[in-house]
Amino acid sequence: MVSGITGAFAQTRKVKFSVDMTGQTVGSNGVHVAGNFQNWKPANTTMTQVGSSNIYTVIDNVTENSVVEFKFINGNDWPQAEGVPAFSQKGNSVNGGSNGNRWAYVSTGTDTLDLGAVTFSGTAPSGKYAVRLAVDMAKETSVSSNG
């Protein structure tokens, strides 16, 4: 046992990325996801079709307590990347971001974080709607550091 040494080692959590390709013709190079968790390499993270459904998934390791940014790709290069709707973009003004990527906050946990299957270039799972709830805390004088 080594005592007196502390390290700032980043812990990771498994994250399940899923996309619903309903209405899309899947390219001959398959479906991929690229993001800051894998250095934005469009051909490196291949997604696997779930049975005979239109859902494609992959599980990868992402740093805990961080924002993961990503895009789905119908192929293996950037020209086939989805157009992320403004509502789902990290760069949307209500998200305080600065780009057109999808995003999620990856908290600490031992289970796999399942982001759910959203439609390719969509905002929610097929047949569902995305809803954003927001509270303006500007007039509050004491907001907890925990949110």
Side-chain angles (χ1 to χ4, degrees):
M1 178 173 144
V2 177
S3 62
I5 298 175
T6 59
F9 297 104
Q11 298 293 314
T12 60
R13 181 174 184 187
K14 291 189 180 305
V15 175
K16 182 177 182 181
F17 298 90
S18 302
V19 64
D20 183 343
M21 297 300 288
T22 299
Q24 303 292 318
T25 300
V26 174
S28 60
N29 291 315
V31 179
H32 293 75
V33 62
N36 61 355
F37 64 99
Q38 50 86 283
N39 295 316
W40 293 102
K41 300 202 182 275
N44 283 13
T45 308
T46 305
M47 302 181 79
T48 303
Q49 185 177 14
V50 178
S52 60
S53 73
N54 293 316
I55 306 295
Y56 288 74
T57 66
V58 68
I59 296 174
D60 212 325
N61 292 314
V62 175
T63 303
E64 290 181 332
N65 297 316
S66 69
V67 173
V68 62
E69 296 182 35
F70 60 99
K71 284 188 177 186
F72 297 114
I73 304 165
N74 187 2
N76 63 1
D77 203 359
W78 289 116
Q80 296 92 41
E82 66 177 335
V84 179
F87 185 83
S88 298
Q89 292 176 5
K90 183 174 183 285
N92 188 296
S93 61
V94 297
N95 296 331
S98 60
N99 61 46
N101 301 322
R102 290 188 183 277
W103 67 282
Y105 183 77
V106 179
S107 60
T108 302
T110 56
D111 59 334
T112 299
L113 176 61
D114 187 344
L115 298 182
V118 295
T119 54
F120 187 83
S121 293
T123 58
S126 183
K128 306 287 182 185
Y129 298 93
V131 176
R132 180 178 326 277
L133 303 175
V135 177
D136 183 352
M137 300 294 286
K139 294 183 180 181
E140 292 298 314
T141 57
S142 61
V143 178
S144 169
S145 62
N146 295 324

